[in-house]
Amino acid sequence: MEATLEPRLVMRGEEDEPFVAGEFFVAAYQRGYRWGRAEVRQLLDDIKAHARNAEKRRALPTDYYLQPIVVLKRADGTWELVDGQQRLTTLFLITKYVATKFSDAKLDYWLTYETREDSRDYLDTLDPDRRDDNIDFHHIARAYEAIVEWFGEQQSAGQAAIDLHSALSKWVRVIWYEAPEGTDPNELFTRLNRDRIPLTDSELIKALVLSHSGAADGKMGRQQEIAAQWDAFERDLRDEEFWAFLTRSTTRKPTHIDFLFESMTPHAGMRERPRYWTFGKVQEDIATRGQPSFGATWLSVTDF
């Protein structure tokens, strides 16, 4: 089985829209939950700011992409959460709070920590008498307090909960990466966390392009051809004189091919691109054209 890469809403939205659901298992090789008040509030502030920026433009919010969630299917049908524990746990706590204020909100996923007995029950109840049973429960309790505090600071906690529900079920998405069957989760976790360098738009686009090209014709040859073309584009864009001519800058980037995709996806009306906005526009293009016409998407890149 090949890897699966797709955007998923955090909460259930319109019919046929993929969303985060199921039981997630956090294995012992991971550290526990450690996000604090600052990280929790930053996530909430970012979502609110994205909605406000759209309102100022008198437009609907564009899709807002969070960092990837990397999972591996387990034999019992649950998901091993290889990367993204901090984000997914925080989003769980946010949706849990929203559900207390807005009856239409519903939790569709749960988390279990291998190293913490009854962790699923604790996340369900957030029993204050158990918050100091271990360091993970302590941090989870503090994160939830930060969420309650943030909503309490809004003009109306109830309306803010409705707004968050709308965001999480319509335009806030995680980038869902399902590792191929047989992947060693310990090795994958180590590789993902060794340098902690965020993935670029182009790296996510590359995974999306290659996964669709393989599905489109069932041949490895097409994937290898695209991968070779991709490397050639990156190599050409790394030529210092050519790069300076194109960008009027000598600033180097982790991946220069991002410039190509950014040029193909103008963002008129926005002062800056939201995180993974370019990836989202390419994903929309592929979805609009349909899998049988995938070649047209890549042709538009090579002919640009």
Side-chain angles (χ1 to χ4, degrees):
M1 185 192 77
E2 296 180 356
T4 298
L5 181 79
E6 66 176 5
R8 292 194 177 189
L9 291 167
V10 176
M11 299 183 74
R12 185 191 301 267
E14 293 183 2
E15 189 176 355
D16 297 330
E17 281 271 21
F19 60 95
V20 178
E23 182 83 37
F24 293 87
F25 176 77
V26 181
Y29 57 76
Q30 298 202 35
R31 71 170 184 163
Y33 182 75
R34 292 297 181 271
W35 267 21
R37 179 176 180 273
E39 291 89 351
V40 171
R41 291 182 65 92
Q42 186 65 60
L43 176 58
L44 288 163
D45 286 341
D46 286 348
I47 294 172
K48 180 179 178 179
H50 189 73
R52 279 191 169 178
N53 289 337
E55 186 178 345
K56 289 177 182 178
R57 301 193 311 272
R58 297 183 179 179
L60 294 174
T62 56
D63 284 342
Y64 183 82
Y65 291 93
L66 303 174
Q67 289 278 7
I69 300 296
V70 181
V71 298
L72 185 64
K73 194 73 173 239
R74 304 175 76 214
D76 61 1
T78 61
W79 300 105
E80 181 158 343
L81 184 55
V82 181
D83 194 46
Q85 173 210 160
Q86 309 295 324
R87 290 181 298 281
L88 204 59
T89 303
T90 304
L91 290 167
F92 175 89
L93 295 173
I94 292 172
T95 55
K96 186 173 181 62
Y97 176 86
V98 169
T100 68
K101 297 291 184 179
F102 184 49
S103 59
D104 286 350
K106 179 177 178 294
L107 289 166
D108 286 288
Y109 72 90
W110 301 265
L111 298 105
T112 299
Y113 285 76
E114 182 179 16
T115 58
R116 301 303 182 192
E117 186 177 359
D118 298 330
S119 54
R120 191 183 191 283
D121 290 339
Y122 177 72
L123 281 165
D124 184 46
T125 63
L126 294 177
D127 183 352
D129 293 332
R130 299 195 58 199
R131 62 175 294 155
D132 292 321
D133 282 4
N134 57 67
I135 191 63
D136 293 318
F137 289 5
H138 174 77
H139 283 293
I140 287 169
R142 293 190 64 181
Y144 192 75
E145 287 171 354
I147 292 167
V148 174
E149 175 190 65
W150 186 90
F151 277 96
E153 293 171 357
Q154 308 310 304
Q155 188 170 3
S156 165
Q159 184 59 51
I162 292 172
D163 292 342
L164 253 293
H165 176 265
S166 179
L168 298 176
S169 62
K170 291 182 179 179
W171 47 267
V172 176
R173 303 174 190 269
V174 300
I175 298 172
W176 176 274
Y177 180 87
E178 182 181 344
E181 184 178 352
T183 299
D184 184 327
N186 289 271
E187 182 181 327
L188 179 58
F189 174 80
T190 300
R191 180 157 48 85
L192 289 169
N193 288 272
R194 183 181 297 125
D195 300 317
R196 299 309 303 168
I197 299 173
L199 290 171
T200 65
D201 280 275
S202 65
E203 289 170 326
L204 292 169
I205 291 169
K206 184 176 183 180
L208 186 68
V209 164
L210 293 179
S211 64
H212 275 268
S213 64
D217 57 22
K219 297 178 181 178
M220 286 295 295
R222 180 59 172 149
Q223 289 183 320
Q224 292 169 352
E225 177 188 353
I226 291 174
Q229 290 174 329
W230 188 287
D231 291 342
F233 289 153
E234 179 67 30
R235 185 171 57 252
D236 290 344
L237 289 168
R238 284 193 171 277
D239 179 85
E240 292 184 3
E241 292 185 2
F242 186 45
W243 179 250
F245 170 75
L246 289 175
T247 66
R248 299 180 182 178
S249 171
T250 57
T251 302
R252 313 293 287 181
K253 294 185 176 182
T255 50
H256 284 201
I257 201 172
D258 285 273
F259 172 79
L260 177 61
F261 291 105
E262 289 167 3
S263 300
M264 294 174 62
T265 54
H267 58 299
M270 290 187 288
R271 285 182 293 180
E272 60 181 25
R273 293 169 187 262
R275 182 195 294 122
Y276 299 132
W277 187 85
T278 303
F279 163 78
K281 300 307 288 185
V282 174
Q283 191 274 335
E284 286 176 13
D285 182 64
I286 291 175
T288 300
R289 294 176 188 269
Q291 189 166 290
S293 302
F294 164 77
T297 300
W298 182 244
L299 186 62
S300 67
V301 176
T302 58
D303 288 346
F304 182 71

